[in-house]
Amino acid sequence: MIDLADAGCVLGGRTVWAGVSTRVGPGEFVAILGPNGVGKSTLLKVLLGLVPLAHGTARVLGRPPGAANREIGYLPQRGGFDATVRVPGSDIVRLGVDGHRWGVPLPGRRSRAAAERTAAVVHRVGAAGYAHRPIGTLSGGEQQRLLIGQALAAGPRLLLLDEPLDSLDLPNQAAIAALVRDICADGVAVVMVAHDVNPILPYLDRVVYLAGGGAVVGTPDEVITTEALSKLYATPVEVLSTSDGQLVVVGVPEPVAHHGPRHAPAPGIRR
Amino acid sequence: MTPAFSWNLLGDLREMWSWPFMLNAFRAGTIVAVLAAVVGWFMVLRRQAFAGHTLAVVGFPGAAAAVWLGLSATAGYLAGCLGAALVLAVRRGDARGPAGADPAAVGTVQAFALACGALFVSLYHGFLTGTTALLFGGFLGVTAGQVLLLAAVAVVALGLLLAVGRPLLFASVDPVVARAHGVPVRALDALFLLALAVTAAGVSQVTGALLVFALLVLPAATARRLTVRTLPGLALAVLAGLATVWLALFVAYYSPYPFGFWLTTVAFGGYLLAVLAGRWRAVR
């Protein structure tokens, strides 16, 4: 589904990362990890064709990045809906089905098909109990389920999620991670940017770890180790394992922030 | 000759509609109620009520200047509102979302607009009669030409909204994700401001520049109190707007009190009923 070979990205004259090579097949769950500002979101934007590669090649769904965006579900980094947004959750999911099409929904076969698809997706993400309520009144975890539903609504083969667990508490992080695993079981490939690997560690197939302008790709056991990360950061870094299996990375040098505002608006993708 | 209200409603209506100016008032009011309800529903969703009010207020100096220059007040309203909308649409470069510019700056612009309007009215010595209609509306002077213009404006504005309804809803609710799906959010923001300006100018003909809220905000807010769903909400807003205008015109015909007062009172009464209905539903 995704084929990156020695990919490198240059932004503003500075090499963001280089030497990223990986393949993602159907149903695989891949995480992009790394410290803040290293360019994790940029890698997603490269896959969407929004940012060009400086060297190396990338093929997404068998085509150059940007050509197959119709079959990709993308959930950019975003804040939650505030309490005054009184749009039903199921309408939010419906927007993912046909919200970008011009006109208004007219009664008919197409509209009914869209409504059925919306109901099916809402059920799939486990939000059927509260999808009729205004989205502003729902909790962070419930909103995130509906937003993942919105990204799934058009039936994509590849799902790109940018820090979906960002503002959730631990039980919700675990629940959303389990939901993503279920989605992978359906054959959808998922690439998720995360800054904490622990909630998704049990379900991950592969990790792309970006740091210090380079990358290490492999299974979590191969990548998140003292040796691999020390080599990547070119400075002593320790990976500690707690008694319940969580991983803690200690000694990461503070990155110099060259990036723009963290929540800058996501540019549009051409369809 | 003051009209006398009798309990024979059909007779009353027949008598009322025997006057051309009343017929025109009902026609203009109907067109304006439908347009304002639909545009207002989106405006409330996008939390742009302050922008809507500003656009309406800026119509007043436009209309006053037009009358001073010997042109029609309608043209003046349209020019004032559209001009302000273009300025607002062009300025909005930041990611602040549809809520827009600093409220203090906008409030100052509103005050300045009202003051300029007062200046223009004094220039054509219209203080005794001119200001009331421009600011608070009225139903006595609606001409057939105005009705036709309002109808044309409504058809264009509603047609535009029909063409962009879905992407506009997406961009209003979730601009970040909508942009990721390929929706031209900034273009739709600008387009909606223009539709809002044209609606404010149209509604000002009937309600005056200061009372545009009665038709632009209250029916939509009433509908949103009763339902969060999109299509039923729009339908309810239109019904509320029509009921407000028809009832207000009917009462104002017999009453010596200003039409603007009846319009706002009926609109607000409807909103209160919706609030009470919501409370009662919650308590059950």
Side-chain angles (χ1 to χ4, degrees):
Chain A
M1 292 225 163
I2 298 181
D3 199 338
L4 284 170
D6 198 29
C9 181
V10 172
L11 277 183
R14 188 179 66 92
T15 302
V16 184
W17 35 260
V20 178
S21 300
T22 185
R23 293 187 115 125
V24 178
E28 288 194 327
F29 187 176
V30 175
I32 303 176
L33 303 174
N36 280 337
V38 75
K40 306 191 290 286
S41 301
T42 310
L43 182 49
L44 283 189
K45 290 183 189 150
V46 163
L47 293 175
L48 288 166
L50 298 173
V51 172
L53 275 179
H55 28 263
T57 58
R59 289 194 84 67
V60 178
L61 295 175
R63 283 183 276 172
N69 281 349
R70 273 209 182 286
E71 297 181 74
I72 303 179
Y74 174 45
L75 185 56
Q77 223 169 3
R78 50 154 307 131
F81 290 99
D82 75 41
T84 60
V85 179
R86 291 174 54 76
V87 176
S90 50
D91 277 5
I92 299 280
V93 175
R94 171 79 183 253
L95 288 174
V97 177
D98 63 1
H100 60 279
R101 290 217 324 262
W102 299 105
V104 289
L106 295 166
R109 198 173 28 96
R110 251 177 147 179
S111 187
R112 250 176 299 136
E116 280 163 13
R117 170 105 196 122
T118 306
V121 169
V122 163
H123 192 75
R124 181 78 194 77
V125 298
Y130 45 81
H132 61 279
R133 285 174 38 204
I135 196 151
T137 62
L138 300 176
S139 75
E142 293 166 335
Q143 288 188 13
Q144 206 63 1
R145 275 183 195 271
L146 287 165
L147 286 171
I148 291 179
Q150 186 187 57
L152 276 179
R157 287 158 58 195
L158 171 62
L159 206 55
L160 301 179
L161 306 173
D162 198 348
E163 302 218 30
L165 307 179
D166 206 358
S167 50
L168 300 180
D169 57 9
L170 285 176
N172 274 310
Q173 286 184 12
I176 299 292
L179 170 63
V180 172
R181 190 265 322 268
D182 281 345
I183 293 170
C184 287
D186 284 343
V188 177
V190 175
V191 176
M192 181 195 288
V193 169
H195 62 262
D196 181 11
V197 73
N198 286 307
I200 49 178
L201 190 55
Y203 313 120
L204 276 183
D205 290 311
R206 208 163 316 121
V207 166
V208 174
Y209 202 106
L210 301 173
V216 172
V217 180
T219 66
D221 292 331
E222 292 165 9
V223 169
I224 310 181
T225 60
T226 302
E227 301 80 32
L229 290 189
S230 294
K231 198 160 148 227
L232 186 61
Y233 282 104
T235 179
V237 164
E238 255 196 277
V239 176
L240 306 170
S241 190
T242 67
S243 55
D244 56 352
Q246 305 229 348
L247 296 176
V248 180
V249 180
V250 182
V252 171
E254 282 301 307
V256 180
H258 285 293
H259 56 98
R262 198 153 176 257
H263 292 283
I269 50 179
R270 264 176 303 111
R271 299 214 140 202
Chain B
M1 179 186 88
T2 30
F5 176 66
S6 78
W7 285 102
N8 174 9
L9 280 177
L10 271 181
D12 287 334
L13 283 173
R14 211 174 297 136
E15 193 258 324
M16 193 185 298
W17 288 337
S18 68
W19 297 101
F21 77 86
M22 277 311 286
L23 265 181
N24 281 338
F26 267 87
R27 285 180 189 135
T30 304
I31 296 169
V32 146
V34 171
L35 178 63
V38 173
V39 172
W41 190 90
F42 276 98
M43 186 188 74
V44 170
L45 177 70
R46 297 163 65 84
R47 280 174 280 180
Q48 282 185 298
F50 193 51
H53 185 65
T54 307
L55 290 176
V57 166
V58 172
F60 167 58
V67 172
W68 171 51
L69 293 171
L71 306 166
S72 87
T74 311
Y77 274 126
L78 267 173
C81 296
L82 277 175
L86 283 170
V87 168
L88 277 180
V90 161
R91 283 186 86 263
R92 184 157 322 114
D94 53 24
R96 213 191 292 253
D102 171 24
V106 176
T108 312
V109 166
Q110 280 190 22
F112 184 60
L114 284 174
C116 285
L119 171 68
F120 293 131
V121 171
S122 78
L123 283 174
Y124 73 83
H125 309 299
F127 263 123
L128 285 178
T129 52
T131 32
T132 320
L134 289 180
L135 288 174
F136 299 108
F139 56 93
L140 292 176
V142 182
T143 65
Q146 265 176 310
V147 171
L148 278 175
L149 182 62
L150 281 175
V153 156
V155 161
V156 167
L158 286 177
L160 265 176
L161 283 185
L162 218 65
V164 304
R166 254 185 306 225
L168 181 63
L169 184 65
F170 206 170
S172 307
V173 167
D174 203 348
V176 174
V177 176
R179 210 176 276 121
H181 279 248
V183 171
V185 173
R186 284 205 56 193
L188 285 175
D189 281 351
L191 189 73
F192 182 73
L193 270 183
L194 292 177
L196 189 56
V198 152
T199 305
V203 176
S204 298
Q205 313 276 299
V206 173
T207 66
L210 289 185
L211 298 182
V212 169
F213 253 31
L215 285 182
L216 200 53
V217 173
L218 280 174
T222 307
R224 290 188 70 79
R225 279 255 157 208
L226 295 172
T227 176
V228 289
R229 288 150 58 206
T230 307
L231 286 175
L234 281 167
L236 268 179
V238 168
L239 280 176
L242 286 174
T244 304
V245 166
W246 290 342
L247 196 55
L249 276 173
F250 190 84
V251 172
Y253 179 68
Y254 295 107
S255 153
Y257 303 128
F259 167 64
F261 164 73
W262 289 116
L263 187 68
T264 323
T265 307
V266 172
F268 191 55
Y271 180 71
L272 278 182
L273 281 177
V275 169
L276 290 174
R279 296 262 168 88
W280 179 65
R281 242 192 307 185
V283 160
R284 266 161 92 238

